C-alpha cells in the first residue's frame, strides 16, 4: 500500500511540474468547454478590420493562348465575384496574363491569396463557375505538377490515363471519396476541396504517376476508412488491422541473352570474299556473256524442274489411299462374317422367289368373267365382235 501511495504522489508532482512550464501555458476557462468546436472556420467579418489594408498586394499569372477566348467571355463574371470582396482584377490579352490586386475597399487580408488561386485555376482550364468557389473559406486548392515525375512521354500518358480511368470512372470515385473537384489537364492536376481531401489526393496522384500504387487500391482503402468512421467504438483505436495491405508484384523480365566473349586478338577478322573473288575462284569471271547467260538459264531450269516435281509429288499425295492395318485375326473374323451374310442373302432370295411363283399361280387360276355381271358381258362380247369385223 505504501508503494502505491508513493507512485501516486510522484505522478501528482510530475503533473504539477509540467503545468509550471510558463505563464502562457496556464489553463484557460474555454479549454474544457464542450460547446466550442475548434475545427470550424469562422466566416470573416469586415468589422474585424475596419481601416482596410495599408499596402496594395498584387499577383499575376500567365495563361495559354487557347484559354484566351473563354476568359474573355467569363471575365465579367470573375470581376463581379471579386468586387464583392473589394479585389480588383485585370485581363491583359497582349501579354496573356491575369492580375489581381487589393484596393481600399479590401478588408479580408487573406482574400488576395484566394484571388491568386482563382486566376491560377482559370489558367489551368478550370471552368469559371467552379473556380469562383475558391473564394469561400471552406474551399482550398492544390495544383499538382506531374510532368516532371516521369521522363518517358508514352509512359507518362499511360499513367495519366490510369488516373482518369475508363469513362473517367476512377476520377469520379476519387471525387466522391475525397470531397474534391479534380481536373487533369496537360502536365498538372488541379484539385479543389478541404485540406484533408487535398492531402489524400496529392498522395494518390503521385503514387499513380510514379507507379508506386494503382489508384484503385487507394480507393479501396478510402472506402474502408469511410465505413470505419461510422463506428464510434473505433474512434480511438488503430485501423491498421482492418485496412488491406497491397504488395507490389515484381514481374520477372526476360534477361537478354549474353553473347559469349571471344578471346581478344589484336588482329582484325579476315575480310569475307567479295562476289568478284568468288567468280574468280570458280572461273566464271573469265567466261563470255553468252556462256554466263546460258549457265544462269540452265540453273534456273534445274530449279524449276525440281520445284515442279516436288509440287507434283505433293498433289499426288492427296490421291493415294491410306494404308490399312494388317491383322490376321480380324481378317479371319471378317471372312467368317462375310460367309454368314452370303448364306443369309441366298436363303432370303429363295424364299422371295417361291412367294412370287405362288402369287403368279393364283392370278392365273382366277377368271375375271365370273365376277362381272351378265348384260354387261354380252355388250362387251358384241363390242369385241364389232371390233373384229372392223379390223
Amino acid at each position: 500500500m505504501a508503494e502505491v501511495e508513493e507512485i501516486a504522489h510522484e505522478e501528482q508532482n510530475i503533473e504539477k511540474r509540467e503545468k509550471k512550464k510558463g505563464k502562457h501555458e496556464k489553463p484557460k476557462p474555454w479549454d474544457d468547454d464542450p460547446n466550442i468546436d475548434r475545427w470550424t472556420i469562422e466566416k470573416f467579418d469586415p468589422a474585424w478590420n475596419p481601416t482596410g489594408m495599408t499596402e496594395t498586394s498584387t499577383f499575376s499569372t500567365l495563361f495559354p493562348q487557347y484559354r484566351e477566348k473563354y476568359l474573355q467571355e467569363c471575365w465579367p463574371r470573375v470581376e463581379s465575384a471579386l468586387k464583392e470582396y473589394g479585389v480588383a482584377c485585370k485581363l491583359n490579352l497582349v501579354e496573356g496574363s491575369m492580375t489581381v490586386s487589393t484596393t481600399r475597399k479590401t478588408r479580408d487580408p487573406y482574400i488576395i491569396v484566394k484571388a491568386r488561386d482563382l486566376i491560377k485555376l482559370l489558367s489551368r482550364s478550370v471552368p469559371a463557375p467552379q473556380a469562383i468557389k475558391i473564394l469561400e473559406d471552406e474551399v482550398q486548392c492544390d495544383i499538382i505538377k506531374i510532368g516532371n515525375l516521369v521522363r518517358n512521354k508514352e509512359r507518362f500518358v499511360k499513367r495519366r490515363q490510369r488516373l482518369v480511368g475508363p469513362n473517367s470512372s476512377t476520377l469520379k470515385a476519387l471525387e466522391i471519396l475525397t470531397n474534391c473537384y479534380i481536373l487533369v489537364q496537360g502536365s498538372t492536376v488541379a484539385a479543389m476541396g478541404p485540406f484533408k481531401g487535398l492531402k489524400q489526393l496529392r498522395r494518390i496522384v503521385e503514387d499513380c504517376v510514379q507507379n508506386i500504387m494503382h489508384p484503385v487500391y487507394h480507393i479501396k482503402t478510402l472506402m474502408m476508412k469511410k465505413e470505419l468512421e461510422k463506428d464510434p467504438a473505433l474512434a480511438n483505436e488503430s485501423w491498421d488491422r482492418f485496412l488491406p495491405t497491397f504488395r507490389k508484384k515484381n514481374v520477372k523480365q526476360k534477361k537478354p541473352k549474353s553473347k559469349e566473349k571471344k578471346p581478344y586478338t589484336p588482329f582484325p577478322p579476315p575480310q569475307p570474299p567479295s562476289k568478284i573473288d568468288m567468280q574468280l575462284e570458280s572461273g566464271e569471271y573469265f567466261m563470255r556473256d553468252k556462256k554466263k547467260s546460258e549457265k544462269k538459264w540452265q540453273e534456273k531450269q534445274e530449279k524449276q524442274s525440281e520445284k515442279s516435281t516436288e509440287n507434283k509429288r505433293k498433289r499426288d499425295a492427296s490421291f493415294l489411299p491410306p494404308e490399312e492395318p494388317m491383322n490376321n485375326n480380324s481378317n479371319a473374323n471378317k471372312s467368317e462374317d462375310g460367309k454368314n451374310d452370303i448364306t443369309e442373302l441366298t436363303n432370303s432370295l429363295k424364299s422371295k422367289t417361291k412367294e412370287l411363283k405362288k402369287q403368279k399361280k393364283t392370278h392365273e387360276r382366277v377368271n375375271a368373267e365370273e365376277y362381272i355381271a351378265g348384260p354387261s358381258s354380252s355388250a362387251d362380247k358384241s363390242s369385241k365382235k364389232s371390233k373384229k369385223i372392223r379390223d
Side-chain angles (χ1 to χ4, degrees), residues 345-355:
L345 278 165
T346 50
N347 292 327
S348 64
L349 287 165
K350 281 177 182 178
S351 61
K352 282 179 181 178
T353 49
K354 283 176 182 179
E355 285 175 4

Side-chain angles (χ1 to χ4, degrees), residues 181-308:
Y181 170 81
I182 309 161
L183 180 80
V184 181
Q185 173 71 21
S187 61
T188 57
V189 178
M192 289 172 65
F195 280 117
K196 190 182 177 183
L198 292 172
K199 192 179 177 183
Q200 288 172 342
L201 192 66
R202 179 172 272 275
R203 189 186 166 197
I204 292 162
V205 170
E206 286 176 355
D207 284 1
C208 176
V209 178
Q210 289 174 345
N211 202 27
I212 295 165
M213 193 183 282
H214 199 281
V216 171
Y217 298 128
H218 279 294
I219 287 163
K220 282 183 181 179
T221 52
L222 287 169
M223 285 170 77
M224 290 284 285
K225 281 179 181 178
K226 210 155 198 177
E227 288 296 318
L228 291 164
E229 279 174 9
K230 293 173 185 177
D231 192 358
L234 300 168
N236 299 319
E237 289 184 26
S238 178
W239 294 349
D240 292 338
R241 65 177 187 269
F242 302 109
L243 298 174
T245 52
F246 304 105
R247 290 179 183 177
K248 191 179 177 182
K249 291 178 182 178
N250 293 322
V251 180
K252 288 183 179 179
Q253 294 179 347
K254 288 181 179 179
K255 290 180 180 179
K257 291 178 180 179
S258 58
K259 292 178 181 179
E260 291 180 2
K261 287 184 178 180
K262 293 176 181 179
Y264 174 73
T265 53
F267 305 105
Q271 194 173 358
S274 64
K275 197 175 183 180
I276 295 161
D277 292 337
M278 289 166 81
Q279 285 176 352
L280 285 164
E281 281 178 13
S282 61
E284 195 181 339
Y285 185 77
F286 303 104
M287 289 169 75
R288 288 181 183 179
D289 292 336
K290 195 175 181 181
K291 282 186 177 181
K292 280 181 184 178
S293 61
E294 281 176 5
K295 194 181 179 183
K296 277 184 181 178
W297 184 80
Q298 198 174 353
E299 285 174 358
K300 198 176 183 181
Q301 288 294 319
E302 284 174 3
K303 281 181 181 177
Q304 280 181 355
S305 62
E306 283 175 10
K307 206 166 190 180
S308 61

Side-chain angles (χ1 to χ4, degrees), residues 17 129 173 257 311 375:
R17 283 173 197 167
K257 291 178 180 179
N311 289 334

Side-chain angles (χ1 to χ4, degrees), residues 280-380:
L280 285 164
E281 281 178 13
S282 61
E284 195 181 339
Y285 185 77
F286 303 104
M287 289 169 75
R288 288 181 183 179
D289 292 336
K290 195 175 181 181
K291 282 186 177 181
K292 280 181 184 178
S293 61
E294 281 176 5
K295 194 181 179 183
K296 277 184 181 178
W297 184 80
Q298 198 174 353
E299 285 174 358
K300 198 176 183 181
Q301 288 294 319
E302 284 174 3
K303 281 181 181 177
Q304 280 181 355
S305 62
E306 283 175 10
K307 206 166 190 180
S308 61
T309 51
E310 183 65 29
N311 289 334
K312 194 179 179 184
R313 189 184 63 77
K314 284 179 181 177
R315 282 198 298 273
D316 294 341
S318 60
F319 296 105
L320 291 168
E323 292 181 1
E324 293 181 358
M326 300 294 286
N327 293 325
N328 296 324
N329 296 327
S330 63
N331 288 335
N333 293 328
K334 280 179 183 177
S335 62
E336 287 175 6
D337 293 334
K339 285 176 183 178
N340 293 329
D341 293 336
I342 290 159
T343 51
E344 284 175 4
L345 278 165
T346 50
N347 292 327
S348 64
L349 287 165
K350 281 177 182 178
S351 61
K352 282 179 181 178
T353 49
K354 283 176 182 179
E355 285 175 4
L356 284 165
K357 282 177 183 179
K358 284 178 183 179
Q359 284 176 3
K360 280 180 183 179
K361 284 175 182 178
T362 51
H363 284 299
E364 284 172 1
R365 286 172 188 171
V366 172
N367 290 323
E369 291 176 2
E370 294 176 4
Y371 297 97
I372 297 164
S376 63
S377 62
S378 61
D380 289 337

Side-chain angles (χ1 to χ4, degrees), residues 20-32:
K20 288 179 182 178
K21 279 182 180 177
K23 291 178 182 179
H24 62 280
E25 289 184 3
K26 283 180 181 179
K28 277 91 177 175
W30 56 82
D31 281 347
D32 301 321

